[in-house]
Amino acid sequence: MAFQKGTTAGHFFQTDAEQAKIERREAKASNKNGNPVTLKSKLLAAVPDPTNPSAVLIAESSGSVRRVNVDTGDSKQVFRGPSAPVTCVAVGGSGNSTLFAGSWDKDIWSWDLATKKPGRKYSGHSDFVKAVVTTKLGGKDCLISGGADKKIMVWDIETGSRLHVLQDQTIPMMAVQDLVVDPVQSGPDEVILVSASSDPHIRRWRIRLDAFEQIAETSPDAPGAARHAISEHDTTVYKVVFDSESEEVDLWTSSGDGTAKCLSRIKDFATDESFQHGDHVRAVAVTDQWIVTAGRDEDVKVWNRTSGKLYCTLDGHYDEVTDLVVLDGGRRVVSVSIDGTVRTWPLDQAELDKVNKEKEDRAKGVEKETPAEPPKGLMTLEEEAELAALMEDDD
C-alpha cells in the first residue's frame, strides 16, 4: 500500500521514520536485480526442491508452500492447508517424497511432493513451529521439529507418534530458530542434532529411537573442561548449516549479533572465522569459493572464502531477507524476503565482477537508476504488525 498521508486513520500515526522507511522501500521496489519472481505474500523460508534443480520450495505468510522455478518464473504449484503463516519447510520421508511445513497454527503439515495431496498432520507443539528437519533413525523415517514453545520434538513420520520431547534441563532454551543434522557424526541408529534458538546457546543432542541426551561440550579455552553448550554468539542464532565443501564439515552460523561465523569441528566448535555482515543476519550459505550472508539490512553479501573479505554486495530486496538456497552446485544462490520476491544471483566470479563494475559506473554517474513505481500492498498494517512480531526474537 503506497503511503498517502491522511487517507486512513492508521496513517495519521506514522512517524517520520516509518514514513521514510515506506517511501524508501517503494522507491526500491521496482528494481529487477536478481531477476525477481514476485509473489503476493511474505516469504519466510526456503529449501531446494529435490525434484527440480531449478526450483525452490518456499514458506509463505499466506499459509501455503509454493514451488517456484527460478528459471521459468513459474510459481503456480501451491501446497495448501494451513490458514496461518508457514514458517519453515523440509523434504523427507520414504523416498524423500514428502513435503513438511511448520506453521503458526502450531502444527506440522505434510503433502505428497509429486501430487500435492495432503498427508498426515503432526500436532503437539503449544506455540508456533519454527523449524523442521527430516532424518532416519533405526531404519525409521523421522521428523524433528522445534517451536516457539521452547521444545524440540521427534516424530515417527509413518505413524505420526511423538517419540521424544527435548528440552534443556539446565539453562532454559528459548524459542527454537533452526535445526540441522550433523552429517559426520550421525549414523544409522543415532543422530546428532544441532539446535539454534533465541538465546545465544547452540545445543547438540544425541538422539536414538529409545532415548536422547544433550551433549556436554568441551571448552575450547580450557582443555579438559566442559561447557554447557556452544556459546560463540552474543544473542539469537538464526541459522546453523554444516559446510559440506570443507574436509572437516565445519558448522556455520548466523546471528542477531550481526555476524556469521565458522565454528571449527576440530577446535570443539570454537570460532574459526567471523564475518561482520551487520544488523540481524538471518541466513548464511556456503560454497567452495564463497560465503553468502543476508538479513535485516536487505543486502545479500558475498564474501571471499579464502581472504575473508567482502567481495560483492547484491542489492535488490527492499525488506528483510529471510533465507538463502544454493543451487547448481554453488554456481548461484536464491534469496527470499519479506518483500515477497524470490531473487537469483549468479556466483560466478566474472558475474560478480560485472555487478561491482556496474555499481562503480553508477557511482560515477555513468548510469542512472530507473525511477520506481510504487508497489501494491501485500498486507494490511495490522497484518504487517502481526508478522513483524514473528520475525522478532521470541522471549
Side-chain angles (χ1 to χ4, degrees):
M1 183 185 297
F3 181 80
Q4 298 178 0
K5 191 173 180 181
T7 57
T8 65
H11 286 168
F12 281 114
F13 301 100
Q14 295 283 349
T15 66
D16 289 343
E18 289 169 337
Q19 182 177 349
K21 184 177 181 181
I22 290 171
E23 290 173 351
R24 179 189 64 76
R25 287 177 174 170
E26 288 177 350
K28 194 177 177 183
S30 66
N31 82 82
K32 300 302 180 185
N33 299 342
N35 255 346
V37 177
T38 303
L39 305 178
K40 297 179 180 179
S41 183
K42 307 232 165 182
L43 313 181
L44 305 183
V47 295
D49 181 350
T51 68
N52 187 333
S54 298
V56 289
L57 298 160
I58 299 173
E60 297 190 292
S61 65
S62 59
S64 56
V65 178
R66 189 175 298 268
R67 176 184 274 129
V68 175
N69 186 310
V70 298
D71 289 336
T72 66
D74 178 35
S75 61
K76 295 177 182 177
Q77 295 186 47
V78 185
F79 300 81
R80 304 184 189 277
S83 57
V86 172
T87 58
C88 49
V89 283
V91 176
S94 178
N96 209 33
S97 61
T98 304
L99 172 66
F100 299 92
S103 172
W104 268 20
D105 65 12
K106 310 171 190 176
D107 292 330
I108 302 113
W109 296 68
S110 70
W111 300 264
D112 183 287
L113 196 55
T115 67
K116 300 193 292 293
K117 180 181 178 181
R120 185 183 297 279
K121 190 160 60 172
Y122 303 81
S123 303
H125 284 284
S126 58
D127 207 335
F128 302 154
V129 179
K130 306 270 284 181
V132 285
V133 68
T134 60
T135 189
K136 267 189 178 293
L137 264 178
K140 287 183 179 292
D141 291 301
C142 291
L143 170 71
I144 307 176
S145 58
D149 58 3
K150 311 170 187 178
K151 296 175 182 177
I152 298 169
M153 297 184 182
V154 183
W155 310 82
D156 182 323
I157 288 177
E158 184 180 2
T159 66
S161 62
R162 189 171 63 188
L163 304 176
H164 305 301
V165 178
L166 284 57
Q167 289 182 283
D168 191 327
Q169 301 300 320
T170 306
I171 299 177
M173 179 170 63
M174 296 176 69
V176 176
Q177 294 286 345
D178 198 22
L179 300 168
V180 65
V181 171
D182 187 334
V184 174
Q185 292 191 305
S186 298
D189 299 315
E190 181 177 276
V191 160
I192 304 300
L193 177 76
V194 179
S195 66
S197 48
S198 294
D199 57 285
H201 301 97
I202 296 170
R203 296 165 175 86
R204 293 194 304 149
W205 312 82
R206 180 176 287 107
I207 306 171
R208 296 182 293 274
L209 280 178
D210 59 349
F212 70 88
E213 64 177 347
Q214 186 175 343
I215 297 173
E217 303 295 342
T218 301
S219 173
D221 302 321
R227 60 174 174 170
H228 178 70
I230 300 168
S231 303
E232 299 294 320
H233 286 285
D234 298 329
T235 184
T236 302
V237 180
Y238 289 113
K239 190 70 71 173
V240 280
V241 178
F242 278 104
D243 174 17
S244 59
E245 299 297 333
S246 71
E247 188 176 340
E248 293 80 15
V249 192
D250 291 326
L251 181 66
W252 283 82
T253 60
S254 67
S255 169
D257 64 14
T259 68
K261 295 185 177 185
C262 173
L263 308 188
S264 170
R265 184 184 294 274
I266 62 173
K267 296 179 182 176
D268 298 314
F269 296 105
T271 300
D272 197 40
E273 295 179 83
S274 184
F275 295 79
Q276 298 285 335
H277 178 103
D279 210 340
H280 288 242
V281 190
R282 300 283 310 194
V284 60
V286 183
T287 75
D288 60 349
Q289 188 176 7
W290 312 108
I291 305 302
V292 188
T293 58
R296 192 168 291 178
D297 69 356
E298 306 171 5
D299 292 334
V300 176
K301 295 184 179 180
V302 182
W303 308 78
N304 185 298
R305 180 162 186 155
T306 303
S307 69
K309 293 182 179 179
L310 180 63
Y311 194 85
C312 184
T313 298
L314 303 166
D315 53 15
H317 286 293
Y318 49 96
D319 208 331
E320 183 169 341
V321 180
T322 53
D323 217 345
L324 298 167
V325 177
V326 172
L327 295 182
D328 298 339
R331 290 191 290 274
R332 54 184 178 164
V333 65
V334 175
S335 56
V336 299
S337 168
I338 297 296
D339 66 15
T341 67
V342 184
R343 297 175 189 258
T344 307
W345 313 92
L347 291 178
D348 177 76
Q349 186 166 338
E351 291 294 326
L352 295 176
D353 289 342
K354 184 179 175 183
V355 171
N356 286 336
K357 179 67 165 57
E358 289 173 351
K359 283 189 177 184
E360 289 173 9
D361 289 346
R362 279 202 301 271
K364 294 174 184 175
V366 175
E367 179 185 340
K368 293 183 179 179
E369 299 215 39
T370 305
E373 297 178 7
K376 295 180 180 180
L378 298 177
M379 303 180 82
T380 66
L381 288 175
E382 292 78 9
E383 289 170 332
E384 293 270 7
E386 186 178 6
L387 189 60
L390 170 69
M391 307 310 297
E392 294 297 327
D393 296 349
D394 299 276
D395 292 329

